[in-house]
């Protein structure tokens, strides 16, 4: 799954996201990605975790240390 920069992902109460494969959420310093509650008055604990299970794909980097592939959360 890829989440584009500037996107706001809203979770219903008690829900979260479990990653079984690859999650690419690469925002930028000027246009981040927000994970938040869908409640009218968001509060800490409204939504569950972002969980990466054993089958999720780890990030990999090239010889210069630049992101190449796999799961990544950047500017989120």
């Amino acid at each position: 799954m890829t989440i584009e920069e500037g996107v706001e992902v809203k979770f219903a109460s008690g829900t979260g996201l479990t990653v079984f494969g690859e999650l690419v959420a690469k925002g930028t310093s000027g246009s981040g990605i927000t994970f938040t509650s869908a409640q009218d008055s968001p509060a800490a604990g409204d939504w569950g975790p972002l969980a990466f299970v054993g089958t999720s794909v780890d990030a990999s980097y090239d010889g210069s240390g630049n992101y190449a592939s796999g799961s990544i959360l950047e500017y989120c």
Side-chain angles (χ1 to χ4, degrees):
M1 170 189 262
T2 299
I3 302 172
E4 300 292 331
E5 63 183 65
V7 170
E8 184 175 62
V9 179
K10 293 185 175 186
F11 293 95
S13 181
T15 64
L17 177 64
T18 302
V19 179
F20 292 92
E22 184 175 296
L23 173 63
V24 177
K26 288 186 67 174
T28 64
S29 60
S31 186
I33 296 169
T34 302
F35 294 95
T36 189
S37 168
Q39 300 298 314
D40 290 334
S41 298
D46 280 348
W47 54 281
L50 297 179
F52 293 84
V53 298
T55 58
S56 63
V57 180
D58 293 339
S60 62
Y61 299 86
D62 65 18
S64 299
N66 299 308
Y67 169 77
S69 65
S71 295
I72 188 169
L73 298 171
E74 189 171 69
Y75 290 103
C76 296

